Amino acid sequence: MTANPFDSMAYDNMVGIWIGTFAIFDTAGDCVTAGPSRYMVYWKDRPNLMHFRQDQDLQATVVKSLIERVEDPTLKRLLQVDDAAAQVVEDLAAPDYDLIVTGKSAEGVGMGPAGRPVEVTAAELSPDVYHFQLAEKGSKAQFRWYNTHIFPSQDERRTIGPVIDMTGRIGLIMLHTYTRISRTVPETLFTTLGEKLSHRS
């Protein structure tokens, strides 16, 4: 019998390579832009330290191979690499950070969107629902991101939440829809960015 990842320890079910689409909406509910997205999550020191990385390489082979197999025209359009969409991902949605896990809560540091440092806090609400906050730090801080991760099934994940400026005003709302294509992340895709910024030495 295959083990159910929902029965494992907190945050375990996030591990793997996730591929899907993002859509960014304004506060009127209109879609501003959309495109492909890829996320990698892996343990550095299970069960204490894990790493999250949203890949900025939208030309990645895994994305290209997926596009070639897509038949639905709407999904195919969303997965096409668009310069404007790629810029939005780079500016607004490409975090790379370590997460120190303590039971159902977690915190970490890393590099956030637009290349600014962020602090991350997270909580497991149930084995298939997590809530994350990313807050930019430093004198140039402009935004905070709130994301709720919902797992409709073991290998599906939806992430939704607002981008908020430092005055508390909602500017954009982001929606990601992912499918897990691998439960392991090759070491060639690991990053050292989080290690440089981690609370741990």
Side-chain angles (χ1 to χ4, degrees), residues 11 35-36 50 65 70 89 110 128 151 157 160 168 185 189 197:
Y11 300 88
M50 71 186 327
S65 64
V70 170
V89 171
D128 57 348
F151 292 76
R157 178 161 57 98
I160 187 167
V185 179
L189 296 178
L197 298 171

Side-chain angles (χ1 to χ4, degrees), residues 111-154:
M111 193 64 70
R116 288 188 282 268
V118 292
E119 288 185 356
V120 183
T121 56
E124 179 191 85
L125 309 184
S126 67
D128 57 348
V129 179
Y130 292 80
H131 185 71
F132 280 66
Q133 173 185 306
L134 282 75
E136 286 187 342
K137 309 306 291 183
S139 59
K140 295 183 178 180
Q142 297 181 36
F143 301 106
R144 286 172 290 147
W145 289 258
Y146 294 93
N147 293 319
T148 299
H149 298 245
I150 301 170
F151 292 76
S153 70
Q154 292 182 16

Side-chain angles (χ1 to χ4, degrees), residues 14-31:
M14 290 194 167
V15 170
I17 298 176
W18 300 83
I19 185 169
T21 59
F22 76 90
I24 299 178
F25 298 85
D26 62 22
T27 53
D30 295 321
C31 185

Side-chain angles (χ1 to χ4, degrees), residues 30-52:
D30 295 321
C31 185
V32 176
T33 188
S37 182
R38 184 173 69 169
Y39 225 105
M40 283 158 277
V41 183
Y42 53 88
W43 286 108
K44 288 184 172 181
D45 178 19
R46 185 180 185 270
N48 303 308
L49 182 65
M50 71 186 327
H51 192 81
F52 282 70

